[in-house]
Amino acid sequence: MDMQEMQKEVDAYISQFKTGYFSPLANLARLTEEVGELAREINHYHGEKKKKSTEEENTIEAELGDNLFVLICLANSLNIDLNQSFEQSMNKFNVRDKDRFERN
């Protein structure tokens, strides 16, 4: 599934509800929360803070999916095409940072 299809699927899901998309600021708060949950999982698996036996099982993969969903909600609420956004970012990295790092 490409990003455009993902944006359409999320839009179809959100469109079922009277509330619709949350405001951009509310979505940013949700995204911040989800990034924190992702950070916690990464810390559990790759950091010094291991998960307690009483903590709910979760995965980095699941948290990345949650982050992607909220990011798509934010983009959709602002009518931003994430394919174009990604292409602009990659162009910036390929031009601005082309000599920044040692290549293989």
Side-chain angles (χ1 to χ4, degrees):
M1 178 181 297
D2 73 7
M3 189 59 69
Q4 187 176 45
E5 292 169 325
M6 287 186 229
Q7 284 192 258
K8 285 180 182 177
E9 185 171 341
V10 168
D11 191 60
Y13 175 77
I14 295 295
S15 294
Q16 314 175 74
F17 307 107
K18 288 183 181 181
T19 307
Y21 288 104
F22 295 135
S23 71
L25 191 56
N27 272 323
L28 180 60
R30 289 181 63 214
L31 185 59
T32 302
E33 179 184 349
E34 293 297 344
V35 168
E37 292 174 13
L38 174 60
R40 184 175 179 84
E41 288 304 311
I42 289 174
N43 194 20
H44 287 320
Y45 289 98
H46 300 284
E48 290 71 37
K49 185 178 180 192
K50 300 304 177 195
K51 194 172 279 207
K52 296 176 187 174
S53 60
T54 57
E55 288 184 273
E56 184 178 314
E57 191 61 34
N58 204 351
T59 64
I60 295 169
E61 182 179 21
E63 291 304 333
L64 283 169
D66 291 347
N67 275 265
L68 183 57
F69 177 82
V70 176
L71 185 64
I72 292 171
C73 286
L74 178 59
N76 284 357
S77 74
L78 296 170
N79 296 313
I80 292 173
D81 179 330
L82 285 172
N83 280 323
Q84 288 179 354
S85 179
F86 179 76
E87 287 174 14
Q88 291 168 0
S89 290
M90 286 309 300
N91 184 57
K92 175 178 66 178
F93 294 126
N94 285 322
V95 172
R96 181 190 71 192
D97 296 339
K98 67 181 173 70
D99 297 320
R100 185 173 182 186
F101 303 103
E102 183 179 356
R103 303 224 179 229
N104 291 329

